[in-house]
Amino acid sequence: MADGYRVHVNTVQVGGVALQLRTLVDRQQFWDPDGEAERAGISSSTWPLFGVVWPSGSVLADQMTRTPVAGLRVLEIGCGIAMASMVVQRRLGNITASDHHPLAPTFLLANLALNGLPPLPYAAGNWALHDAAFGEFDLIIGSDVLYEPAHPAMVAQFIQWHAAPQAQVIIVDPDRGNRSAFARGMAAIGFAQTVRRVTELPSGGGAWKGRVLSYQRALPE
């Protein structure tokens, strides 16, 4: 038991490397004694979603084991337990993790310590707000961030604010139905899309249906 919620430590394999992950025991948890989550617009039903391992997050972490990241400024949006961010950090990417959940940085610090990794930059990310101090990034990554009809436009706008002039974006989507709207939003800000279907989870995790959406924006010639 940690404060008012239950956690445990799982071992997951990512690219042949074992990661120790402190996660919520299940999706029945809720703890918001000071109303911080409520003020951030997080309901009791959505409160626990940040703190578990999702298939899309596993696919994104696996993708980061083979995506060039060394020396790049990388931002993970909606990071949850930030498994992909830890992979990027191991591979010498200059990673910033971000999420809207008030407990995300607490879980991030615990998981970094469990894996013998140093602290990494964290920023509270609200996709609806433009914060110039957030900075610009060469690579923006995320998993299952298009789950509400309003999210494609919000995420595309957030990317426009924080993508470097020559930038790449990688989003893992479990076929929630909002992919086409996101592609249109990304095209409107100059990003070309390529899609890779995924039918199996990494490390023998079983069958899964989703896509890795990759976007590239280049400087005009």
Side-chain angles (χ1 to χ4, degrees):
M1 178 74 72
D3 294 309
Y5 51 91
R6 293 181 297 138
V7 299
H8 60 175
V9 176
N10 300 304
T11 301
V12 300
Q13 296 289 328
V14 182
V17 175
L19 283 179
Q20 303 295 310
L21 294 177
R22 176 182 184 265
T23 67
L24 295 174
V25 168
D26 54 38
R27 283 180 266 165
Q28 306 307 312
Q29 311 296 312
F30 177 68
W31 186 73
D32 188 28
D34 300 320
E36 187 176 5
E38 182 181 8
R39 290 191 296 274
I42 299 170
S43 67
S44 59
S45 61
T46 60
W47 186 95
L49 302 185
F50 86 100
V52 296
V53 177
W54 291 92
S56 297
S58 297
V59 173
L60 181 62
D62 181 73
Q63 179 70 36
M64 290 302 102
T65 66
R66 55 184 180 274
T67 298
V69 296
L72 296 183
R73 297 163 296 170
V74 187
L75 172 67
E76 182 178 8
I77 59 174
C79 69
I81 57 171
M83 186 162 47
S85 288
M86 289 189 285
V87 173
V88 172
Q89 189 191 47
R90 281 185 180 274
R91 300 189 60 227
L92 305 180
N94 179 10
I95 178 72
T96 295
S98 70
D99 201 283
H100 195 38
H101 198 287
L103 276 181
T106 300
F107 275 63
L108 174 61
L109 284 174
N111 283 321
L112 290 168
L114 278 173
N115 291 280
L117 296 170
L120 59 81
Y122 176 86
N126 185 335
W127 300 335
L129 299 179
H130 185 197
D131 181 359
F134 220 85
E136 293 185 344
F137 297 86
D138 307 305
L139 173 62
I140 298 175
I141 63 174
S143 60
D144 204 359
V145 294
L146 307 175
Y147 48 90
E148 296 287 352
H151 286 166
M154 292 174 65
V155 174
Q157 178 66 80
F158 189 81
I159 289 170
Q160 182 179 24
W161 289 331
H162 300 296
Q166 188 171 359
Q168 183 184 11
V169 176
I170 297 176
I171 302 294
V172 175
D173 179 58
D175 289 348
R176 289 198 183 273
N178 296 317
R179 185 179 67 256
S180 296
F182 184 62
R184 291 193 295 271
M186 293 295 285
I189 58 175
F191 282 88
Q193 174 185 264
T194 58
V195 178
R196 178 172 68 86
R197 286 182 176 269
V198 180
T199 58
E200 296 283 338
L201 291 172
S203 302
W208 184 74
K209 290 177 62 178
R211 291 169 171 82
V212 176
L213 313 175
S214 297
Y215 300 87
Q216 184 73 50
R217 181 172 70 185
L219 290 168
E221 297 181 0

